[in-house]
Amino acid sequence: MDRRQEILEAATKSFSLFGYKATTMDQVAKIANVGKGTIYTFFANKEELFHEIVFTMIKEMKAKKDGVISEERTFQENAHLVLMKMLEFREHHALLAKLISEEKEMKTPVVQAVLVQVEQEIVKYIAENIQTAIDKDEIKQVDVELVAYLIFKAYMAFAVDWQLTHNDSLTEEKIVEVFQDTIFASLIK
Amino acid sequence: MDRRQEILEAATKSFSLFGYKATTMDQVAKIANVGKGTIYTFFANKEELFHEIVFTMIKEMKAKKDGVISEERTFQENAHLVLMKMLEFREHHALLAKLISEEKEMKTPVVQAVLVQVEQEIVKYIAENIQTAIDKDEIKQVDVELVAYLIFKAYMAFAVDWQLTHNDSLTEEKIVEVFQDTIFASLIK
DNA sequence: GAATGACCAAAAAACCACAACAGTCATTTA
DNA sequence: TAAATGACTGTTGTGGTTTTTTGGTCATTC
């Protein structure tokens, strides 16, 4: 396998396991079985390496979403499927979870900045999908940006925050059900 | 005015302005124009003084809510009015805002604990009101606890979080509109 | 007998010596 | 001879220690 890819995989593993701050370039080099200097022939610095990985993650999510949405299905059905995929995604992707906890515990500025970007990216996607549905006259006219923000925050609340104050984690089915009962239900015409 | 009240007001002022950690008992004594020892004849310690103040704030909110809800109005109307009152409340009460930012920046355990309590208290009230509406057959049967949690998180998202990533603050009318369009709309039968 | 502020122990801030780190570059390797 | 390397360097962060601040007490005052 090419060295660039090896480095990316080693770094992803380390970022997911230890977070951004606790990952050292020496460590990445060791895991990737390359000299430290080699990393710097492919990536300008630690931050750029990190950005590349997060960007890859976002692309992965986008791909998952696009693989699920179908023109033939109703908004409600599509929304249900996308939400399910995202909820599955969360568990498989240790990186996002680690970054969120790292931001809360220490408040690493680089991580903070990247999470804001991820948030904006996701809200943008949700907004685009809502707008499409409105244009197709599938759902009623609402303030797209605000509703997209609401959906994102609701998602994070159930998928991440809930288990912090309650000691049981919510099942995917339960979360999807609340979305269907409330926000999604209100949007369809 | 009685000394106890003077102390409470001084402490409220200081907690609102500087937060919990940065408020010293010497400072409170000076603002209240009493000796430091006097504070301890009324309150066992700093934490109890703090709790009393936060508890007073919750009672104030409860009173505001009870003054607005009316048996004659529909759920939608009542929800609208309560939400408006809460949104007005947010601006007047600098204390809550300060505590939330203090929890985010440093993570003072006392503040954290108190905010969890406030959250649980508020979610409990919302849940009670939803249950009442269900019993009266005004809204459809939903998972009360989850919907209450959703409403609380949505409220916090729009009232507090929004302005952190966007640089404009949302008007009360706009926030109420989203609630009406989405969550509230979906609940009515 | 209620109020006070000097006082004390405990916690936090300031300091500093030292270690760990990101990033470089002369040397090595293939 | 171009790519890879790891010893090296300046900077940032950490841990242990001293100094300061703070919550809480209590003998004295009013």
Side-chain angles (χ1 to χ4, degrees):
Chain A
M1 199 191 288
D2 70 302
R3 304 178 107 75
R4 192 189 144 88
Q5 195 55 35
E6 303 245 41
I7 292 164
L8 276 172
E9 279 174 27
T12 303
K13 211 175 283 178
S14 186
F15 284 138
S16 302
L17 214 51
F18 308 112
Y20 178 80
K21 256 198 76 179
T23 291
T24 71
M25 295 303 259
D26 281 299
Q27 201 176 24
V28 172
K30 191 169 260 173
I31 297 174
N33 262 83
V34 296
K36 187 162 56 153
T38 311
I39 300 177
Y40 288 88
T41 66
F42 295 110
F43 305 95
N45 50 44
K46 186 180 178 183
E47 204 171 327
E48 202 185 87
L49 172 63
F50 179 61
H51 271 89
E52 171 110 7
I53 287 170
V54 172
F55 187 70
T56 302
M57 186 189 72
I58 294 178
K59 273 208 292 201
E60 245 183 85
M61 286 181 70
K62 212 200 290 199
K64 278 261 170 56
K65 185 211 76 177
D66 289 339
V68 147
I69 279 190
S70 153
E71 293 278 323
E72 277 114 59
R73 274 194 284 275
T74 65
F75 173 78
Q76 185 107 346
E77 283 167 345
N78 274 326
H80 177 278
L81 289 170
V82 170
L83 193 56
M84 272 305 238
K85 264 277 168 289
M86 290 302 112
L87 285 166
E88 282 167 32
F89 185 83
R90 135 188 88 134
E91 282 166 14
H92 291 299
H93 228 301
L95 177 59
L96 195 63
K98 189 74 205 177
L99 292 183
I100 290 169
S101 85
E102 184 173 356
E103 158 160 57
K104 290 217 164 150
E105 270 155 40
M106 32 199 93
K107 25 184 258 144
T108 327
V110 177
V111 174
Q112 210 163 2
V114 125
L115 281 182
V116 169
Q117 256 181 270
V118 172
E119 173 183 316
Q120 286 173 342
E121 198 76 13
I122 294 174
V123 172
K124 210 184 80 193
Y125 286 134
I126 301 174
E128 281 168 8
N129 283 290
I130 294 176
Q131 190 60 59
T132 305
I134 290 178
D135 292 345
K136 283 208 226 155
D137 217 40
E138 276 196 272
I139 64 176
K140 62 182 184 186
Q141 296 222 327
V142 287
D143 187 315
V144 174
E145 215 189 334
L146 287 186
V147 172
Y149 189 71
L150 170 64
I151 291 175
F152 174 74
K153 283 291 184 173
Y155 173 84
M156 292 300 280
F158 287 126
V160 180
D161 297 350
W162 177 275
Q163 60 221 34
L164 297 179
T165 38
H166 307 68
N167 36 14
D168 56 321
S169 181
L170 292 169
T171 66
E172 270 113 45
E173 289 75 23
K174 209 91 186 79
I175 297 177
V176 172
E177 192 190 312
V178 191
F179 269 87
Q180 296 283 6
D181 279 355
T182 57
I183 305 175
F184 293 159
S186 69
L187 291 178
I188 52 170
K189 264 202 145 155
Chain B
M1 200 191 285
D2 70 301
R3 304 176 104 78
R4 192 189 145 88
Q5 195 55 32
E6 303 245 40
I7 292 165
L8 276 172
E9 279 175 25
T12 302
K13 211 176 282 178
S14 185
F15 284 138
S16 303
L17 214 54
F18 308 112
Y20 178 80
K21 253 197 78 179
T23 291
T24 69
M25 295 301 260
D26 280 299
Q27 201 177 25
V28 172
K30 191 171 258 174
I31 298 174
N33 264 82
V34 297
K36 188 163 58 155
T38 311
I39 299 176
Y40 289 87
T41 64
F42 295 110
F43 305 96
N45 50 43
K46 187 181 177 181
E47 205 170 326
E48 200 185 89
L49 172 62
F50 179 61
H51 272 88
E52 170 110 9
I53 287 170
V54 173
F55 188 69
T56 302
M57 188 188 71
I58 295 179
K59 273 206 295 199
E60 246 182 85
M61 286 181 69
K62 211 196 296 197
K64 279 259 170 57
K65 184 212 77 175
D66 289 338
V68 149
I69 279 190
S70 152
E71 293 277 324
E72 279 115 56
R73 274 194 285 274
T74 66
F75 172 78
Q76 184 107 348
E77 284 168 342
N78 273 327
H80 178 280
L81 289 170
V82 171
L83 192 56
M84 271 305 235
K85 263 280 167 287
M86 289 303 111
L87 285 165
E88 283 167 32
F89 185 82
R90 133 188 92 136
E91 283 168 11
H92 291 300
H93 231 300
L95 177 60
L96 197 61
K98 188 74 205 176
L99 293 183
I100 290 169
S101 84
E102 184 172 354
E103 158 160 56
K104 290 215 167 153
E105 272 155 39
M106 31 200 97
K107 25 184 255 144
T108 327
V110 177
V111 174
Q112 211 164 2
V114 123
L115 281 182
V116 168
Q117 254 183 271
V118 171
E119 173 182 315
Q120 286 173 341
E121 197 77 13
I122 294 174
V123 172
K124 208 183 80 192
Y125 286 133
I126 300 175
E128 281 169 7
N129 282 288
I130 294 176
Q131 191 59 61
T132 305
I134 290 178
D135 292 344
K136 281 208 227 155
D137 217 38
E138 275 197 273
I139 65 176
K140 63 183 184 187
Q141 295 221 329
V142 287
D143 188 316
V144 175
E145 215 189 334
L146 287 186
V147 172
Y149 189 71
L150 170 65
I151 291 176
F152 174 74
K153 282 290 184 174
Y155 173 85
M156 292 300 278
F158 287 126
V160 180
D161 298 349
W162 177 274
Q163 60 222 35
L164 297 179
T165 39
H166 306 69
N167 35 14
D168 56 318
S169 181
L170 292 168
T171 64
E172 271 112 42
E173 289 75 23
K174 210 94 187 76
I175 298 177
V176 170
E177 194 190 309
V178 192
F179 269 85
Q180 296 284 4
D181 279 355
T182 58
I183 305 175
F184 292 161
S186 69
L187 292 178
I188 52 171
K189 264 204 148 152

